[in-house]
């Protein structure tokens, strides 16, 4: 299981002073991400357009290297490349040390196109030092945001070098 940021009190200041962004990556902090998730659920109840969530886990690709930890430079490069691949209307949240979740608000087709871009992107792997794992779920009418996140956690991960 991924290590969640909310449980790491000893690390210090994880979020910017506005409390909305992760101070290291400038991606959405969990509080902002969960608020955006709540909004997407409410919007999906009122309209016919569903949204999708894509989980991205990045781990050190151990090609003869001693360290199994992802370094700060790798995290920064990864988050920069991820922001470059997403649209401004997509919400990219850093929910774990090595875990990001992207909310795509234009239905399953747009999410699958984005997933395909992620799978074919070589820049996310930071010169092949990271192994990227992806999973995706689409909102089902009647479920809560927590239900969606639980399904996302249970979804099988596909690994990409």
């Amino acid at each position: 299981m991924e290590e969640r940021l909310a449980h790491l009190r000893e690390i210090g200041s994880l979020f910017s002073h506005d409390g909305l962004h992760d101070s290291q990556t400038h991606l959405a902090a969990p509080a902002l991400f969960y608020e955006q998730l709540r909004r997407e659920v409410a919007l999906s109840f009122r309209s016919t357009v569903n949204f999708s969530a894509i989980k991205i886990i990045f781990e050190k690709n151990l090609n003869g290297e001693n360290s199994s930890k992802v370094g700060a430079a790798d995290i920064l490069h990864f988050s920069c490349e991820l922001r470059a691949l997403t649209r401004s209307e997509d919400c990219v949240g850093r929910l774990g040390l090595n875990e990001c979740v992207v909310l795509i608000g234009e239905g399953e087709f747009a999410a699958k196109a984005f997933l395909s871009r992620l799978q074919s992107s070589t820049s996310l792997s930071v010169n092949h030092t990271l192994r990227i794992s992806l999973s995706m779920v689409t909102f089902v009418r009647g479920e809560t945001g927590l239900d969606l996140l639980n399904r996302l956690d249970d979804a099988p991960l596909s690994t990409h070098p």
Side-chain angles (χ1 to χ4, degrees):
M1 184 103 214
E2 300 79 37
E3 201 166 1
R4 302 289 182 185
L5 291 174
H7 300 294
L8 299 174
R9 306 270 184 241
E10 68 277 359
I11 287 182
S13 179
L14 293 173
F15 308 111
S16 63
H17 291 293
D18 65 6
L20 301 177
H21 297 93
D22 174 86
S23 62
Q24 184 179 29
T25 63
H26 303 289
L27 299 175
L32 176 61
F33 176 83
Y34 294 129
E35 176 60 23
Q36 187 62 34
L37 176 62
R38 185 194 64 74
R39 289 179 182 174
E40 289 291 345
V41 168
L43 181 63
S44 290
F45 275 128
R46 294 190 309 269
S47 70
T48 59
V49 177
N50 286 335
F51 69 97
S52 295
I54 296 174
K55 178 167 49 172
I56 306 164
I57 295 176
F58 52 99
E59 300 168 308
K60 196 71 169 176
N61 198 2
L62 298 175
N63 292 335
E65 295 182 27
N66 296 335
S67 176
S68 63
K69 289 193 147 205
V70 177
D74 292 336
I75 293 172
L76 289 174
H77 183 82
F78 173 83
S79 63
C80 240
E81 292 299 324
L82 183 58
R83 279 195 313 271
L85 289 170
T86 56
R87 302 168 304 174
S88 60
E89 60 266 20
D90 299 333
C91 179
V92 183
R94 184 176 181 202
L95 302 185
L97 288 177
N98 301 343
E99 176 187 357
C100 296
V101 176
V102 182
L103 297 177
I104 308 287
E106 294 182 2
E108 189 173 5
F109 181 75
K112 285 184 177 180
F114 176 66
L115 189 64
S116 178
R117 280 198 318 270
L118 289 176
Q119 290 169 335
S120 64
S121 173
T122 56
S123 62
L124 279 180
S125 68
V126 189
N127 297 324
H128 305 290
T129 60
L130 297 179
R131 185 178 67 236
I132 310 297
S133 301
L134 305 165
S135 63
M136 182 188 110
V137 295
T138 300
F139 178 76
V140 175
R141 189 168 296 281
E143 74 180 343
T144 65
L146 181 59
D147 294 335
L148 177 102
L149 291 177
N150 285 334
R151 279 195 309 118
L152 186 59
D153 281 341
D154 292 340
L157 291 164
S158 61
T159 303
H160 305 278

